[in-house]
């Protein structure tokens, strides 16, 4: 998935995480009451943490009033202890409940992701990186746990206790209350600015981290190629550059945080700088008594400690914002439309009827129409980027057409279930998908209920049986990093899979068949076996290989330029003739003085 994580703060509320909490609340939509209970317990725990401050204040006022006694102090000490125990128990219960909710949210979120994946078109996967799916399903869902289990109750508690202190302060003396919060409000203003900045850097940080992950996955998978082509330095260079970018971002992040964190700490702990001189002045002016000043001294320090908790939440809120944006983009991805299901007709003639298609903005195919009789063959030829692969991929509904219709046996494919549609066709594309299962399992994906004999017959027809039995574990060989298959062997495994499936329609990317010159003869035999009696659609790259086919469609700029048999098209002196002549010229190129002539001439 190439999408970069992005998050643009839109308003001050956004910056402070307003939309993050709205999203988190959306995730817990099944348990709102339980979460409110957890928040309540969190708040109770947080407020009761203030008990020691309050008890010290009571003792101080008793001392000032000269009413202190040992039994009174013991009693206050005991009450303090009980309140602190209740505070811990309450915070613990809050955390336990929120973790239970978080576990259920994670399970539901993973289910929701899995369900969404069944509704998006196949093309959604083709244009995205598998590493990003893994990150979303494992890491991002894991991170939502922090949001639900910690951020919701902790943030409520982190705001509730300072609010209670503020109310008490205003109740005790509003002038001193204002003085107590001057430094704090400046610190909060700074935090707002820092949060906006940190959100930006957090966005860059996670984008860079995702890029590094993708690069590592890519490097691991292409390592053999890197070695073969002696591209070690280049590959290491790219990885090093990505690490350097990541390090620079971390340095930038730390740099910006050190500054703001320093100022925040200074301002938020500056209460005493204001409270003490003003408090003494007010006592001198007889606006304040000593007991109340002690109250403000104690609680302004308490207030500072609590607000530091809030500051530490900002980075986690920024991280949640990134994840939520990514999840939103995923859940908003276009889905396949569901049409009234129709049972396939059992016929396998294909019709493209005025098909137009757009990936994002520009129309890639416009009004393409052709028919392919059951058992006949059609090659798609044309310049690179003309739309041949897109036509082939519309057939299995990688995407749905924007206009017109594709029909198989007279039935619009949008009315066929994926199971029905995929049962009718096999593909041999350039991308080869092999699972880290045994060779037998990989072939049997074509038809899981196939017998051992049928599987072996398919492997023989695909010219891969001899190679498989030469392996120490034969068909039971697990395909993993230790088993090295050549490109041609992988292709023949895919062909064996398609032969075993024996679907009536076959879509073939001809490049697959000739990617491995040493195996060309064997591959050609395998392909010939595969295509026998099928309705065949071929994306053609070398004209010489498809001139025998029943029909050739010339695609240029997303339009059907010409359609007919090889000889008919040559006789037309049109686009196909130009392509054919270019092909012949390419086949008879010169190396030094020696002329190599292709067999088509
Ligand atoms: P061909 O197979 O003839 O080389 P394609 O069908 O691959 O042509 O591509 C046709 C056009 O569609 C090209 O301009 C290509 O860039 C564009 N295209 C192909 N795949 C995608 C995609 N997944 N998203 C957006 N554009 C695409």
């Amino acid at each position: 998935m190439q999408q970069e994580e992005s998050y643009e703060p839109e308003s001050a509320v956004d910056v402070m995480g307003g939309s993050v909490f709205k999203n988190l609340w959306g995730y817990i939509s099944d348990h709102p009451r339980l979460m409110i209970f957890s928040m309540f317990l969190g708040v109770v725990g947080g407020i009761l943490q203030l008990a020691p401050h309050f008890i010290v204040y009571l003792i101080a006022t008793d001392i000032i009033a000269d009413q202190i006694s040992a039994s009174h102090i013991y009693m206050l000490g005991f009450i303090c202890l009980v309140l602190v125990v209740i505070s811990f128990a309450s915070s613990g219960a809050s955390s336990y409940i929120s973790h239970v909710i978080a576990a259920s949210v994670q399970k539901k979120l993973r289910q929701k992701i899995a369900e969404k994946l069944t509704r998006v078109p196949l093309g959604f996967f083709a244009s995205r990186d598998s590493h990003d799916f893994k990150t979303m399903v494992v890491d991002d869902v894991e991170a939502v746990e922090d949001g639900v289990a910690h951020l919701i109750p902790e943030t409520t508690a982190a705001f509730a206790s300072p609010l209670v202190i503020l109310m008490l302060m205003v109740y005790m003396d509003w002038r001193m209350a204002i003085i107590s919060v001057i430094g704090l409000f400046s610190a909060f203003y700074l935090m707002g600015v820092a949060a906006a900045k940190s959100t930006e850097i957090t966005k860059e940080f996670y984008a860079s981290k995702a890029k590094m992950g993708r690069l590592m996955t890519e490097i691991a998978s292409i390592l053999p190629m890197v070695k073969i082509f002696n591209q070690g330095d280049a590959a290491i260079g790219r990885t090093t550059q990505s690490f350097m970018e990541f390090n620079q971002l971390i340095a930038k992040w730390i740099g910006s945080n050190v500054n703001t964190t320093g100022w925040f700490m200074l301002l938020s702990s500056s209460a005493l700088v204001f409270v003490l001189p003003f408090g003494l002045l007010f006592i001198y002016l007889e606006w304040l008594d000593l007991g109340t000043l002690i109250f403000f001294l104690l609680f302004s320090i308490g207030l500072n400690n609590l607000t530091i908790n809030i500051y530490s939440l900002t980075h986690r809120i920024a991280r949640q914002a990134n994840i939520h944006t990514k999840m939103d983009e995923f859940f908003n991805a276009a889905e396949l439309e569901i049409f009234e299901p129709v049972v396939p007709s059992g016929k396998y003639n294909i019709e493209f009827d005025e098909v137009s298609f757009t990936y994002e903005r520009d129309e890639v195919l416009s009004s393409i129409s052709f028919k392919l009789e059951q058992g006949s063959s059609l090659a798609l030829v044309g310049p690179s980027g003309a739309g041949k692969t897109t036509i082939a991929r519309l057939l299995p509904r990688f995407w749905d057409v924007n206009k017109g219709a594709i029909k198989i046996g007279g039935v619009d494919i949008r009315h066929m279930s994926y199971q029905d549609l995929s049962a009718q066709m096999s593909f041999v594309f350039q991308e080869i998908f092999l699972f880290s299962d045994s060779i037998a399992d990989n072939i049997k994906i074509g038809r899981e209920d196939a017998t051992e004999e049928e599987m072996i017959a398919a492997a023989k027809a695909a010219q891969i049986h001899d190679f498989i039995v030469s392996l120490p574990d034969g068909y039971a060989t697990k395909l993993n990093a230790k088993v090295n298959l050549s490109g041609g062997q992988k292709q023949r495994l895919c062909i064996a899979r398609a032969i075993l499936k024996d679907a009536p329609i076959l879509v073939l990317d001809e490049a697959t068949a000739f990617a491995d010159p040493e195996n060309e003869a064997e591959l050609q035999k395998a392909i010939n076996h595969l295509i026998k009696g099928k309705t065949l659609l071929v994306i053609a790259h070398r004209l010489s290989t498809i001139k025998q086919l029943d029909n050739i469609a010339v695609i240029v700029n997303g339009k059907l330029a010409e359609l007919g048999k090889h000889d008919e098209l040559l006789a037309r002196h049109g686009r196909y003739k130009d392509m054919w002549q270019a092909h012949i010229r390419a086949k008879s190129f010169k190396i030094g003085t020696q002329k190599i002539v292709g067999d088509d001439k």
Side-chain angles (χ1 to χ4, degrees), residues 9-18:
E10 282 163 9
S11 65
V13 179
D14 245 8
V15 169
M16 298 297 287

Side-chain angles (χ1 to χ4, degrees), residues 513-526:
F514 301 101
D516 192 350
E518 309 99 76
N519 294 305
E520 188 166 330
E522 280 176 317
L523 273 168
Q524 192 55 60
K525 258 198 234 168

Side-chain angles (χ1 to χ4, degrees), residues 448-463:
E448 279 172 11
D449 61 354
T451 63
E452 195 76 2
E453 290 73 36
E454 285 170 326
M455 179 192 66
I456 292 173
K460 280 184 177 162
Q463 313 295 311

Side-chain angles (χ1 to χ4, degrees), residues 426-428 446 493-503 506 530:
S426 297
F427 305 93
V428 183
L493 267 186
C494 286
I495 292 171
R497 188 189 275 174
I499 290 177
L500 186 64
K501 183 170 178 187
D502 198 25
L506 181 67
L530 176 64

